[in-house]
Amino acid sequence: MPDNDVIAAAKERLEQSGLPSTWLDIPVHWGVKAKEQATPENGGLRFQMLNVDVYGEVPEYWDNNTEIPRGAVPDTRTEQMGYSIFNKAEVWSDLCADLYEDAIADRWNSSADIPWDSLEPIGADLERAVCQIATLMSEYGWTKAQTTGRWLQEISYGYIEVKLFLGTVVFDAARMFEVWRKRALANGGGMGRGGRNWKFLPLTQSYTFSEFVVASIMHDSMLLTLLRRGEQLARTDAERRIYQLCEQDLERHLAYFVDHMRYLMLKEPVRREEIHRYMNKAEWYLAKDGDDTLYSALAVIMGDGREGAEEAMADVAELRREQIETYLGYLRQCHLADRQDRLNEELRKWAGMVELEEEEKIPV
Amino acid sequence: MVTADKLNELQLEPEAPELDLSWLNLDTVWGVSAEPGRKGLTLQQINKTIYGEIPTTSEDSSARPRGAAPPEGATPRMTPWVLGDATETFSDSAALLYDEAVSRQWSSATDIPWDTLDELPEDIERAMVQLCTSLTEVEFIAGDVPGKWLPRIAADHFESGLFLMSQVMDEARHTDVFRKRALANGGGLLLQGGGGGLRQILEAEDFTQMSSMLHILGEGFVQSLFRLGELIAHNEAEKRIFRLAAQDESRHVAYGVTHLKYTLEHEPEKAEEVHWTLDMFEDTLVDPDQANPGLAGALVYLLGDGDVDEGWRLFWHVRRKQVLEYLHRLDVAGLGGRLETGRLHPSLAGALDEN
């Protein structure tokens, strides 16, 4: 309970000195002691532990356009800060606070945590192929950081957990950019060819956060499938570790994107068709990008050189089929199982799926 | 009824991508290697040959990494416009500062000894949570700003981009750690601040102007305060928060100073523009109408441990240090003379007279 005498004396001292004392009059939600839950066994003082009392009430609509912390008392003189997202369904996932802390707990350093001394000469074709893949990975890291970062200024403090987590996504993507650049420039190679990257336009052009999220689910799930093949693709322990660490980061990102989209579909099912349109666009750009450099480089690695690349294309095709399967699998988790029947025609071919007309004849 | 087996039978062979090996014969610089050093394989160590040459201008609005060959065929513009001139965003220290940021990441959950937070007298706890309310607010905006600028950084100048990405992470942690402190020890969040110039940083449409406000003046003042955190803290947890946050802020300030230095060395005519920005921002910082009614009171109260007269004395000690360090940073950046020419805001210049 507040000690009124202590506060009254404090107010008097401040006022005598010409300092404002109104902050001492604020009715505090006193007695929140998050520290009591923090133990080494449960990961220390995690953000989720703060979400008690009024501070844990995440509103469906946040009506303040300033940087006011959730649970603080507003100062009505404060200018509006230009946020545009005030709707919980637009960004929320219950996983955010934990994913944020997990990202920090999983932090790694590309300078020191990769066994760079395990790199050894792997032959000219393979080095070219690894460097080509590294160049494209690096590009995606850059794009991911830029496109995620730009949403920060749109999201209000009401959904602070989301912003904290997106901060970790930006940082993870930075590391993805530089760890692959390091790989390209560490072992006697150099940078490869940049991607054509029409496929990334749905990320850069997105007008709504939901549009950004579905494009991210598509790109991240396809990349995750590739990273999971790291054991097969890596030629050294350094590369193996890069694949593992990037995979670990990307799994967190997808956990958020998927859980958020599931939340949106439950809260605002009326937006289903709109979301399908964003997927139509993302898939169309991916299908029409027409740049097979990544898959060709993978074929050289899987074929152990350019001579074996042609034969390895069957394995590469299987990998690409798995990528589409993974993408559709994540969409099923978002209550978007119907995407399977609406998948872009070109991507259906990549996945070896029966053509739509033929499939529609099958009574399931 | 169709069974899973039947559907499997209907599965077609996946279409294979087209094999294109033209990238095996690129005309990029080849034969580059790097050995890890004492701190591992840092960005500095891979900045060799053409890959380490920073173009003074870049017209590439794609995500193509520096030194990579351009793709074949038509390519899209990835961002409406990029700051292609190195003087707009570059800093010679950005790579080093990014490497340092990555190696010095810390966790507010596990690296703060939260168990050292003992129950404080109510007036002191209130003052501390008021300070933390203001700080979580300030750090929130400090994370929005680099996020806004990221899409405008040219991939050719990626070092600055990486630095800003690390800043986004640092500010998230600061927003988080001050909120944690406010809610960890029986207090709560108190009064929001009145703006205090945050809006000016966010709305700036010139990177160097933004950086002068955010990195040099704003974060510079915050860093000077955090470095005196021993005067404010009442336990090991708070001392550690201020120490770790000050370490992060030092990098941000260093980026701002080295960026401004680079810009003024290459475009000395920009000095007046930056002076003008600082005139405006200093004015906002000391404007009583913009002041956070809680921040100054809580800070004075904490500095004096409840003794307001002693708190004022220490407040002016802090302010004097903030102004001296601010002027020194401007000197290093090549923008000296604000005090001597009478351009420094009188309220800040007055702080130098205090004992």
Side-chain angles (χ1 to χ4, degrees), chain A residues 59-309:
Chain A
E60 294 298 321
Y61 295 96
W62 178 254
D63 59 2
N64 192 309
N65 198 346
T66 74
E67 74 287 359
I68 183 173
R70 193 173 70 217
V73 175
D75 178 338
T76 52
R77 299 171 306 151
T78 310
E79 305 105 312
Q80 304 213 354
M81 291 290 173
Y83 299 114
S84 66
I85 296 179
F86 303 102
N87 177 3
K88 185 179 179 185
E90 185 70 22
V91 291
W92 190 250
S93 153
D94 286 335
L95 303 179
C96 275
D98 279 335
L99 288 170
Y100 164 71
E101 297 286 7
D102 291 348
I104 292 175
D106 290 347
R107 62 192 180 274
W108 54 279
N109 177 347
S110 74
S111 298
D113 294 334
I114 306 297
W116 293 110
D117 53 4
S118 71
L119 290 178
E120 55 189 12
I122 54 175
D125 283 359
L126 288 179
E127 184 62 28
R128 284 265 179 200
V130 172
C131 290
Q132 181 56 54
I133 290 170
T135 302
L136 298 174
M137 293 283 199
S138 208
E139 263 186 344
Y140 183 54
W142 184 257
T143 304
K144 192 172 165 72
Q146 285 192 317
T147 53
T148 307
R150 87 176 170 93
W151 286 100
L152 294 175
Q153 63 169 331
E154 306 293 339
I155 304 172
S156 54
Y157 200 119
Y159 313 114
I160 176 68
E161 292 86 345
V162 178
K163 288 187 78 160
L164 296 181
F165 174 68
L166 292 178
T168 71
V169 175
V170 169
F171 189 55
D172 292 345
R175 218 170 28 210
M176 182 174 170
F177 168 85
E178 46 101 352
V179 75
W180 285 104
R181 183 175 180 87
K182 283 178 180 173
R183 171 57 194 92
L185 300 179
N187 199 32
M191 299 306 285
R193 186 165 70 196
R196 214 170 285 161
N197 292 343
W198 289 96
K199 58 183 171 290
F200 293 146
L201 282 188
L203 290 171
T204 63
Q205 293 177 337
S206 49
Y207 273 7
T208 71
F209 190 70
S210 309
E211 182 177 1
F212 168 71
V213 168
V214 291
S216 293
I217 290 175
M218 185 186 79
H219 285 293
D220 281 0
S221 57
M222 295 191 69
L223 178 56
L224 184 64
T225 314
L226 195 160
L227 293 170
R228 284 176 176 159
R229 291 278 195 108
E231 198 59 39
Q232 178 190 359
L233 297 170
R235 286 292 185 266
T236 62
D237 282 344
E239 286 159 26
R240 202 162 288 122
R241 192 83 187 116
I242 295 171
Y243 275 106
Q244 286 166 353
L245 290 168
C246 289
E247 177 187 336
Q248 165 192 292
D249 291 345
L250 218 60
E251 277 177 348
R252 273 196 314 279
H253 306 172
L254 272 164
Y256 163 67
F257 289 136
V258 168
D259 194 62
H260 161 60
M261 190 47 64
R262 178 166 47 208
Y263 185 83
L264 179 67
M265 286 296 95
L266 285 171
K267 286 283 183 182
E268 297 187 358
V270 69
R271 294 190 63 189
R272 172 174 291 273
E273 284 306 311
E274 174 201 341
I275 297 297
H276 272 297
R277 286 203 173 189
Y278 299 144
M279 288 188 278
N280 291 346
K281 177 181 173 182
E283 291 169 9
W284 189 91
Y285 273 91
L286 176 65
K288 294 290 181 190
D289 188 82
D291 186 349
D292 285 331
T293 307
L294 173 69
Y295 294 113
S296 302
L298 287 168
V300 170
I301 292 178
M302 289 176 173
D304 212 23
R306 75 177 78 190
E307 292 78 16

Side-chain angles (χ1 to χ4, degrees), chain B residues 4-301:
Chain B
D5 288 347
K6 182 68 181 166
L7 277 174
N8 280 342
E9 277 175 32
L10 290 167
Q11 177 84 37
L12 306 170
E13 282 294 310
E15 186 180 273
E18 191 181 324
L19 182 63
D20 165 19
L21 297 178
S22 56
W23 51 272
L24 278 167
N25 304 304
L26 295 175
D27 191 22
T28 52
V29 172
W30 202 248
V32 184
S33 41
E35 291 285 325
R38 196 170 53 85
K39 293 181 177 174
L41 189 63
T42 62
L43 284 177
Q44 306 276 26
Q45 285 161 309
I46 59 164
N47 264 351
K48 293 177 176 175
T49 69
I50 189 176
Y51 301 111
E53 288 170 16
I54 320 293
T56 51
T57 56
S58 170
E59 291 178 3
D60 191 353
S61 66
S62 79
R64 179 162 59 98
R66 191 168 70 219
E72 290 178 339
T75 56
R77 176 176 269 269
M78 297 283 280
T79 182
W81 51 277
V82 293
L83 298 164
D85 197 330
T87 58
E88 292 186 278
T89 62
F90 198 72
S91 146
D92 285 326
S93 304
L96 186 70
L97 293 169
Y98 170 77
D99 278 331
E100 195 176 304
V102 174
S103 68
R104 292 196 172 185
Q105 289 297 299
W106 50 279
S107 162
S108 68
T110 56
D111 292 333
I112 306 298
W114 293 108
D115 56 352
T116 66
L117 283 180
D118 290 327
E119 192 155 342
L120 295 172
E122 188 182 332
D123 52 342
I124 299 294
E125 178 67 19
R126 277 199 185 233
M128 180 53 76
V129 299
Q130 176 57 62
L131 179 67
C132 289
T133 304
S134 304
L135 290 174
T136 190
E137 206 176 334
V138 167
E139 304 288 359
F140 186 75
I141 295 290
D144 288 351
V145 175
K148 164 185 167 175
W149 286 92
L150 282 179
R152 305 182 193 176
I153 309 291
D156 276 335
H157 304 145
F158 67 81
E159 287 88 347
S160 287
L162 290 179
F163 168 78
L164 294 175
M165 292 165 198
S166 74
Q167 190 187 351
V168 166
M169 181 68 239
D170 292 344
E171 307 296 6
R173 206 173 36 229
H174 296 177
T175 306
D176 146 42
V177 78
F178 289 114
R179 188 175 175 92
K180 278 182 178 167
R181 171 58 193 91
L183 298 177
N185 202 31
L189 290 157
L190 294 189
L191 185 63
Q192 172 188 27
L198 297 175
R199 167 74 180 257
Q200 277 95 330
I201 300 172
L202 202 53
E203 68 195 5
E205 289 297 343
D206 176 275
F207 186 88
T208 303
Q209 289 177 17
M210 175 283 289
S211 175
S212 306
M213 287 189 278
L214 174 67
H215 296 125
I216 300 183
L217 182 45
E219 297 198 272
F221 267 39
V222 168
Q223 192 244 12
S224 302
L225 173 66
F226 286 177
R227 278 167 55 191
L228 294 170
E230 297 272 333
L231 299 174
I232 307 166
H234 284 77
N235 46 59
E236 278 308 311
E238 289 163 5
K239 283 180 191 164
R240 189 119 179 91
I241 291 171
F242 288 122
R243 207 175 302 140
L244 289 169
Q247 177 184 285
D248 296 341
E249 300 290 1
S250 298
R251 287 193 301 274
H252 309 166
V253 173
Y255 173 80
V257 171
T258 51
H259 163 62
L260 183 58
K261 184 167 187 281
Y262 182 89
T263 300
L264 295 180
E265 277 171 3
H266 293 83
E267 282 184 14
E269 66 278 12
K270 237 187 154 175
E272 181 51 29
E273 213 177 295
V274 179
H275 270 306
W276 193 93
T277 303
L278 294 174
D279 292 346
M280 181 271 293
F281 198 53
E282 286 171 9
D283 198 52
T284 304
L285 277 188
V286 299
D287 177 2
D289 187 49
Q290 289 274 344
N292 180 333
L295 181 57
L299 188 55
V300 167
Y301 205 84

